[in-house]
């Protein structure tokens, strides 16, 4: 029901090793958005943990962070006007 109310494009980024939101939970959320026709993109970065973009934490994963940042900027360029 909540997914059906989504009208703006969502970019959901996860780390494969995240123990807070596991890939299985992330995929379930994506499936619910698919079923509701909600605009979204989901990306799971292999080998990345929770907070993998934070370069002040041990979980920092530079390759995933760089790729995720590029996706975020592309998402903004496409959807914020």
């Amino acid at each position: 029901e909540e997914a059906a109310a989504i009208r703006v494009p969502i970019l959901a980024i996860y780390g494969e090793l995240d123990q807070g939101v596991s890939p299985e939970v992330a995929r379930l959320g994506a499936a619910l958005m698919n079923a509701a026709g909600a605009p979204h993109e989901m990306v799971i970065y292999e080998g990345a943990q929770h907070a993998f973009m934070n370069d002040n934490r041990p979980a920092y994963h530079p390759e995933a962070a760089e790729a995720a940042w590029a996706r975020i900027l592309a998402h903004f360029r496409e959807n914020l006007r």
Side-chain angles (χ1 to χ4, degrees):
E1 186 174 301
E2 291 176 7
I6 296 171
R7 298 286 179 255
V8 297
I10 301 230
L11 173 61
I13 295 176
Y14 303 95
E16 172 192 35
L17 305 176
D18 193 327
Q19 294 180 358
V21 179
S22 69
E24 294 78 21
V25 170
R27 288 185 188 102
L28 175 60
L32 292 171
M33 286 190 275
N34 282 338
H40 74 281
E41 176 185 6
M42 181 193 65
V43 185
I44 299 174
Y45 287 96
E46 192 173 318
Q49 300 178 42
H50 181 79
F52 68 88
M53 292 183 74
N54 186 341
D55 62 357
N56 291 313
R57 296 186 62 182
Y60 181 58
H61 190 298
E63 296 83 9
E66 184 177 334
W69 187 241
R71 280 188 187 260
I72 291 166
L73 292 177
H75 179 79
F76 286 168
R77 276 193 298 276
E78 292 171 19
N79 297 293
L80 298 178
R81 296 189 181 131

